[in-house]
Amino acid sequence: MASRTRERLIDVARQLFLRQGIEKTTMNDIATASDRGRRTIYTYFRTKNEIFEAVVGNEAQKILSDLENAIAAQTDATAQLRALIDFRINIARTQASHYEVWYKSLFTPNVKRSLAIRQMVTGRLYCLINEILGRGVASGEFNPVQAARTNSALTMLIRGTDWTMMCQAEQEKFDRWHRESIDFIIDGLRAGAANPSQATNSSTLNP
């Protein structure tokens, strides 16, 4: 019962933060929307900031769970890596539309706690990428030289994606960047691909 009550408070707080913003949401708002009294809220959380941290923590756990399920549904390393990149880019798209819960976690009074949660997600993401790359190299799907470069490329892609979505890129243009970025990485990883330092490209760039 205690666990269900706590999760109910977190879920209600998340919805309120998304709908009316963190600053405008009060403990009274959360108590009213959850059909609980203020005394019940203070049994579980001393401050609104503690509730916010719990919301961010729950979001992080859900992201990791959904990501691992998306990867597990694929049968080979190529499909797994494609699913992982696709999932992570779509997270940036979703977060940009409700940045109150995720991006603003960097500006809370207890920023170290929020950063720790984000680093947990990032750390697990890197582990999953390395596991998939290792499987791809072992199975002969991926070129080992290209695989060693991929984590750095994905780091830059993901950070660029977050920034692009925060700047509200045109949807049609972003969709094309999304598809072409994933295809570029996957094609470059394939074991039969030419060494990029030796390959020539006669196509015309069309950004």
Side-chain angles (χ1 to χ4, degrees):
M1 178 66 74
S3 177
R4 287 199 298 271
T5 299
R6 185 178 187 278
E7 290 304 310
R8 167 69 176 161
L9 293 171
I10 293 172
D11 184 57
V12 167
R14 176 183 179 277
Q15 294 176 42
L16 289 172
F17 291 155
L18 291 176
R19 187 163 62 246
Q20 59 192 44
I22 298 164
E23 290 82 2
K24 293 181 180 179
T25 300
T26 67
M27 295 291 268
N28 278 335
D29 292 335
I30 297 171
T32 301
S34 61
D35 297 321
R36 301 289 192 275
R38 283 175 59 89
R39 181 173 297 180
T40 299
I41 292 182
Y42 286 113
T43 300
Y44 298 94
F45 303 102
R46 291 174 297 177
T47 65
K48 184 174 70 175
N49 189 55
E50 283 191 5
I51 300 179
F52 177 66
E53 290 174 5
V55 169
V56 174
N58 274 22
E59 287 283 286
Q61 291 294 347
K62 185 178 186 305
I63 287 171
L64 290 177
S65 177
D66 289 347
L67 172 59
E68 291 174 356
N69 288 337
I71 292 171
Q74 309 304 320
T75 57
D76 57 57
T78 300
Q80 288 177 342
L81 186 61
R82 184 179 290 276
L84 183 149
I85 302 171
D86 192 56
F87 184 93
R88 179 57 183 84
I89 290 176
N90 280 324
I91 288 175
R93 188 195 303 265
T94 303
Q95 289 174 359
S97 65
H98 61 256
Y99 68 95
E100 287 282 350
V101 170
W102 192 257
Y103 288 125
K104 279 203 172 182
S105 67
L106 294 176
F107 304 100
T108 60
N110 193 1
V111 67
K112 290 183 178 179
R113 168 65 176 162
S114 296
L115 284 172
I117 293 171
R118 294 172 69 89
Q119 287 167 358
M120 174 192 70
V121 175
T122 302
R124 181 56 182 150
L125 183 68
Y126 287 157
C127 285
L128 288 169
I129 292 171
N130 283 326
E131 289 170 9
I132 293 170
L133 292 173
R135 284 195 291 273
V137 170
S139 68
E141 293 175 67
F142 296 158
N143 179 315
V145 175
Q146 291 292 75
R149 298 167 171 169
T150 299
N151 233 333
S152 297
L154 286 179
T155 298
M156 298 302 292
L157 169 64
I158 288 168
R159 289 178 179 173
T161 298
D162 287 336
W163 176 254
T164 300
M165 291 307 299
M166 287 178 70
C167 293
Q168 299 180 330
E170 298 172 31
Q171 191 65 43
E172 184 178 342
K173 185 181 291 185
F174 181 81
D175 287 341
R176 179 165 60 84
W177 291 345
H178 180 161
R179 293 191 305 271
E180 291 178 353
S181 296
I182 295 177
D183 288 343
F184 178 81
I185 290 173
I186 296 297
D187 290 346
L189 265 172
R190 294 187 190 281
N195 187 322
S197 63
Q198 299 174 352
T200 58
N201 183 3
S202 59
S203 64
T204 302
L205 294 179
N206 215 357

